[in-house]
Amino acid sequence: MSDFTMEKGADGVAIITWDLPGKSMNVLRREAIPVLEGLIDDALADDAVKGIVITSAKDSFAGGMDLNVLARIREEAGDSPAQALFDFTMGAHAFMRKIERAGMDPKTNKGGKPVAAAIPGTCAGIGTELALCTHRRFMADNDKARIGLPEILVGLFPGAGGTTRYSRMVGAMAAAPVLLEGKMLAPKAAKNAGLIDEVVAPEDLLQAAKDWVLSATDADIVKPWDQKGWKMPGGAPYHPAGFPTFVGASAMINGRTKGVYPAAKALLSAVYEGALVPFDTALKIEARYFTQILMNPSSSAMIRSLFLNKEALEKGANRPAVDDQKVKKVGVLGAGMMGAGIAYVSANAGIEVVLIDAEQAAADRGKAYSEGILDKGLKRGKVTEDKKAEVLGRINATTDYAALDGCDLIVEAVFEDPKVKADVTAKAEAVIPDTAIFATNTSTLPISDLAKASKRPNQFIGIHFFSPVDKMMLVEIIKGKETGDVAVAKALDYVRQIRKTPIVVNDARFFYANRCIIPYINEGVRMVREGVTPALIENAAKLVGMPLGPLQLTDETSIDLGVKIAKATKAAMGDAYDNDESDEVLFWLADQGRLGRKSNSGFYAYDDKGKRLGLWEGLADRYPHNDQQPDVHEVQHRLLFAQVLEAVRALEDGVLMDIREGDVGAILGWGFAPWSGGPFSWLDMMGAAKAVQLCDDLAASHGDRFAAPKLLREMAEKGQTFYGRFGPEAKAA
Ligand code: NAD
């Protein structure tokens, strides 16, 4: 079966239906492009055809381009990948332009055939770009459907005409939320934003599109930019109205991306330069910038981690081959901050939840947390009363362990105390079926130690959520020494049900994410003690793409938590512990009662309402700033290497088993500079030899914690990359 098929009706309308075989959503495959073009050619040449409707046989229209295609084109092109990508892109432009011009006379703009898009549901990326080149877009009135151009979120920008067309349709300013922020819009909002023309009842969708096609006149199908005297809405760059838009947008992009996301800048350049020339030239400019972005290592690393590998992990790339372990009833022990969030995401995914706490009031508070989130959704029109009742109806908040009867999974989130955890493990295991899996959400206690309290350690596992549970996408699954395959599969199937992204790691102090983020925080705090100005530390971090500077992050997670972790780690590590210098700063702040955001005082100053005002100047009295400040790059290297060397050590130690998980986990878990594709992608981009040289320099000036791990040194000597040596292809070979 072909991805696109055409049916010519007796009414003269040719319906082209997109239906990618075997998939729930359409994505545009390379081999499908000539098929669609062939159908368009056929319909345009057939005198019996008066017009065309392009639609989809699925609930949705399209998810976008198969991003593997772009990677394959680049790989196959040998010495001239840029030329191959440019030619491919220009081919797409020519084909879409053919749809847009629809056979009309180039001079008179007459005689073309109307083409409409009938969009039954979600439509993204090249699906939207295809719709944009038709003459009228009809979208079904479907609450769940979204339409947009989210390319920017994976380090690209719409490169099949979407950038040029949409900015010319609504103007650069109005196009910004869709193009620059990748906003996906519900049908009515999409109509207001000019992305679509009509929202119709789902059952009328096709007929409405057909009726329009049959009634459209020559004038209805000529795009504004193909008409004489066209002017860019909102003003072209040198127009008095357009000028401030472009100046402002340029400043905004640099402010938001800190110059590390090349796609946003390229997009704006394509719109700006494109607006100064005729449409076909503008498409060529768009294609050049698109090629430049596809050739940028940051874009390919982002696509690899944030799209391809993230999806592979979500689909179970590392799932043991055991039967379906979908969760039906989950018991959540502890209804505090984490337990309440875990109960919500589970119930929201259709899983029955028993939420247990020591006191009924605490269990009820935990359930009320779900109610709060659902009420917010109600206010924003994202949740209905029925949905709210349904989700809350799935949560049984109780103190009675007998209610855990029939649970196939337990997630324990009581106090971080081995005794309390052992106690609830025994109580739950006395009730749950023999086959049930017991998971702990501990952040710091070894899984293998906690498993000692279990009667069935092979069914005991770590499922580590991040806070806030409903927002954070990563879930770390931790295998204890005796954890079996069924437990891993259960955890993975559960994470899939709640639509988060899993990584599977082995049991070691702080697992993976916290193991890497703690050195980042420590390095920042250590610099404060050395006399580096806090503003330099924070800005250096943000300029290299970290969402929060280390000092702000410490304030957010709370300084007393840092103190607690430092003390416990020192007690466990003894002489091997080397963070006394940064600890001194944290201990001092905690002694001053400056506990971070929760006390409205920390590295930053806050007003009474908790609004962050700026870095706290009083810190300089205790830790004066050096006259001579380090170069910003040195600060950035210290902050990044503190994290990536820990990631390499986690791989060396066997905590990480898959570098894809190391990269995806770093971005989703703690926001590691997403432009880089993650720590391993960053090291590959730089090359192991350069990384080792930087480590040597940092170790000489700042200490052994920067010493290059053996693995990295060996890779430098052999000229290897992480993806070359540990990537999925290398593993499969
Ligand atoms: P919390 O203090 O907010 O909640 C713990 C809850 O457990 C409380 O409601 C308490 O009443 C309940 N509880 C204590 N003893 C109990 C018992 N014997 N039976 C039933 N309920 C009992 O703590 P939290 O922040 O939700 O953390 C819970 C767990 O999650 C800890 O292991 C923590 O390390 C881990 N964790 C926390 C975070 C975080 O950011 N807070 C992130 C990941 C993991």
Side-chain angles (χ1 to χ4, degrees):
M1 210 176 98
S2 174
D3 298 20
F4 290 95
T5 50
M6 181 162 73
E7 213 170 297
K8 294 175 185 170
D11 54 3
V13 181
I15 310 275
I16 296 180
T17 305
W18 193 353
D19 194 5
L20 178 64
K23 296 277 166 157
S24 59
M25 196 182 253
N26 293 319
V27 289
L28 191 62
R29 300 195 291 178
R30 195 174 175 182
E31 56 272 35
I33 299 173
V35 175
L36 177 58
E37 186 161 14
L39 297 177
I40 297 281
D41 285 340
D42 174 350
L44 291 179
D46 186 342
D47 288 343
V49 172
K50 299 197 183 79
I52 304 168
V53 174
I54 305 176
T55 190
S56 148
K58 317 228 186 258
D59 297 344
S60 54
F61 188 71
M65 183 84 188
D66 177 353
L67 286 177
N68 286 300
V69 170
L70 299 170
R72 233 172 288 133
I73 291 173
R74 192 177 31 221
E75 280 156 22
E76 286 168 13
D79 290 344
S80 45
Q83 187 66 49
L85 288 164
F86 180 74
D87 291 346
F88 176 78
T89 308
M90 287 307 290
H93 283 322
F95 150 64
M96 293 207 180
R97 194 73 173 123
K98 186 190 287 180
I99 297 178
E100 187 163 75
R101 297 296 293 161
M104 66 185 80
D105 183 283
K107 288 218 175 82
T108 63
N109 280 340
K110 289 197 176 4
K113 293 185 182 178
V115 186
I119 304 164
T122 289
C123 179
I126 204 160
T128 303
E129 295 184 292
L130 180 62
L132 286 176
C133 69
T134 68
H135 306 120
R136 201 160 180 87
R137 290 159 292 283
F138 296 79
M139 190 165 179
D141 191 4
N142 169 350
D143 272 353
K144 292 200 177 131
R146 295 287 179 275
I147 181 167
L149 295 161
E151 283 88 340
I152 201 83
L153 303 178
V154 288
L156 293 177
F157 70 89
T163 296
T164 301
R165 283 199 176 82
Y166 186 54
S167 60
R168 284 184 177 225
M169 284 161 67
V170 299
M173 178 85 102
V178 170
L179 292 179
L180 272 174
E181 294 170 37
K183 282 218 168 111
M184 294 286 290
L185 305 175
K188 288 191 182 88
K191 186 176 173 195
N192 290 337
L195 257 186
I196 56 168
D197 301 293
E198 291 190 38
V199 182
V200 291
E203 61 276 15
D204 300 334
L205 180 69
L206 206 54
Q207 195 56 49
K210 275 196 210 179
D211 290 348
W212 181 83
V213 159
L214 289 172
S215 65
T217 63
D218 277 341
D220 288 336
I221 68 168
V222 185
K223 290 289 172 76
W225 44 87
D226 288 323
Q227 297 171 19
K228 272 216 181 91
W230 175 77
K231 287 207 172 64
M232 178 104 172
Y238 291 128
H239 184 276
F243 187 74
T245 303
F246 284 94
V247 173
S250 183
M252 185 194 84
I253 287 180
N254 279 304
R256 280 206 195 156
T257 65
K258 312 280 189 278
V260 289
Y261 294 93
K265 208 167 168 183
L267 184 152
L268 190 63
S269 300
V271 173
Y272 178 93
E273 291 172 34
L276 299 170
V277 294
F279 188 76
D280 289 300
T281 316
L283 287 180
K284 204 166 177 181
I285 290 172
E286 186 192 289
R288 286 199 201 290
Y289 277 111
F290 189 56
T291 304
Q292 192 189 82
I293 288 306
L294 290 173
M295 292 301 295
N296 187 304
S298 162
S299 302
S300 10
M302 279 179 84
I303 292 172
R304 184 173 62 195
S305 290
L306 289 172
F307 189 81
L308 304 174
N309 290 343
K310 177 174 169 288
E311 194 176 87
L313 299 179
E314 285 163 0
K315 286 190 173 161
N318 292 322
R319 185 186 185 281
V322 298
D323 293 347
D324 182 14
Q325 296 292 321
K326 208 184 264 168
V327 176
K328 293 186 191 71
K329 183 174 174 186
V330 64
V332 180
L333 311 184
M337 184 167 93
M338 298 305 286
I342 296 165
Y344 168 71
V345 295
S346 304
N348 199 40
I351 303 170
E352 205 185 322
V353 179
V354 179
L355 179 59
I356 292 208
D357 209 293
E359 304 286 336
Q360 186 62 41
D364 290 341
R365 263 198 310 277
K367 181 168 173 175
Y369 176 77
S370 287
E371 194 167 357
I373 297 182
L374 290 161
D375 280 341
K376 264 191 213 153
L378 259 178
K379 259 194 212 146
R380 289 200 207 124
K382 290 193 168 162
V383 173
T384 59
E385 285 287 357
D386 284 355
K387 164 96 181 171
K388 176 182 161 187
E390 209 181 282
V391 174
L392 290 178
R394 285 194 200 107
I395 304 177
N396 173 11
T398 177
T399 56
D400 182 8
Y401 279 73
L404 296 175
D405 187 20
C407 282
D408 47 331
L409 175 70
I410 298 291
V411 182
E412 169 278 301
V414 297
F415 296 141
E416 190 75 335
D417 176 337
K419 281 200 209 90
V420 181
K421 291 198 187 285
D423 178 48
V424 300
T425 306
K427 278 188 183 156
E429 284 189 355
V431 181
I432 55 178
D434 288 345
T435 50
I437 302 299
F438 191 103
T440 172
N441 180 46
T442 181
S443 323
T444 57
L445 303 168
I447 305 300
S448 305
D449 287 355
L450 294 178
K452 288 180 187 146
S454 167
K455 283 187 282 183
R456 33 205 186 206
N458 64 333
Q459 287 162 238
F460 195 97
I461 194 163
I463 300 187
H464 183 216
F465 285 88
F466 295 82
S467 174
V469 176
D470 59 305
K471 300 234 167 65
M472 296 296 286
M473 290 313 295
L474 187 74
V475 178
E476 213 169 7
I477 295 173
I478 304 113
K479 283 165 73 170
K481 279 197 196 87
E482 296 183 57
T483 303
D485 279 357
V486 176
V488 176
K490 186 90 190 173
L492 282 167
D493 290 358
Y494 170 59
V495 173
R496 189 168 183 173
Q497 277 173 278
I498 58 174
R499 300 218 184 139
K500 296 201 182 278
T501 309
I503 63 172
V504 182
V505 300
N506 278 315
D507 192 14
R509 183 183 311 286
F510 300 132
F511 317 131
Y512 175 60
N514 286 344
R515 173 181 179 150
C516 298
I517 193 72
I518 292 171
Y520 168 67
I521 289 177
N522 286 343
E523 200 59 33
V525 176
R526 191 189 283 261
M527 285 191 237
V528 170
R529 188 168 185 275
E530 287 171 14
V532 179
T533 59
L536 175 56
I537 302 168
E538 296 291 86
N539 286 327
K542 284 191 240 165
L543 283 170
V544 80
M546 293 300 294
L548 298 184
L551 308 181
Q552 190 186 344
L553 185 59
T554 314
D555 269 11
E556 295 293 335
T557 50
S558 94
I559 287 173
D560 50 330
L561 178 69
V563 168
K564 212 168 134 194
I565 292 176
K567 285 187 175 162
T569 313
K570 185 168 179 173
M573 288 179 70
D575 290 345
Y577 189 76
D578 73 343
N579 275 316
D580 291 321
E581 289 183 23
S582 61
D583 290 352
E584 195 231 60
V585 180
L586 288 186
F587 290 11
W588 180 77
L589 281 166
D591 287 346
Q592 308 299 305
R594 300 191 72 91
L595 306 182
R597 171 174 290 287
K598 69 178 182 191
S599 70
N600 274 352
S601 61
F603 284 107
Y604 283 79
Y606 301 79
D607 70 13
D608 296 346
K609 291 190 184 115
K611 184 170 179 275
R612 206 159 29 86
L613 300 173
L615 283 153
W616 176 51
E617 287 176 2
L619 194 61
D621 296 339
R622 169 104 182 164
Y623 302 105
H625 304 164
N626 298 336
D627 293 340
Q628 187 77 27
Q629 289 292 317
D631 180 76
V632 64
H633 291 117
E634 187 184 343
V635 176
Q636 289 174 330
H637 282 144
R638 287 180 67 175
L639 293 173
L640 287 189
F641 272 100
Q643 303 169 70
V644 301
L645 293 183
E646 210 49 53
V648 174
R649 286 183 209 114
L651 179 69
E652 239 177 358
D653 298 350
V655 171
L656 264 184
M657 292 171 278
D658 183 336
I659 54 166
R660 295 178 296 179
E661 296 182 315
D663 274 351
V664 174
I667 299 176
L668 299 189
W670 77 90
F672 181 87
W675 64 267
S676 70
F680 296 102
S681 292
W682 184 63
L683 288 170
D684 276 359
M685 233 180 260
M686 154 184 328
K690 172 91 191 290
V692 165
Q693 185 209 321
L694 283 168
C695 286
D696 289 346
D697 293 349
L698 287 171
S701 16
H702 301 290
D704 281 349
R705 64 189 180 283
F706 289 111
K710 209 167 134 242
L711 172 65
L712 190 63
R713 214 171 270 287
E714 182 194 314
M715 289 175 54
E717 279 157 18
K718 293 185 178 163
Q720 292 173 327
T721 62
F722 282 97
Y723 276 84
R725 177 163 164 174
F726 298 104
E729 287 83 13
K731 271 191 179 170

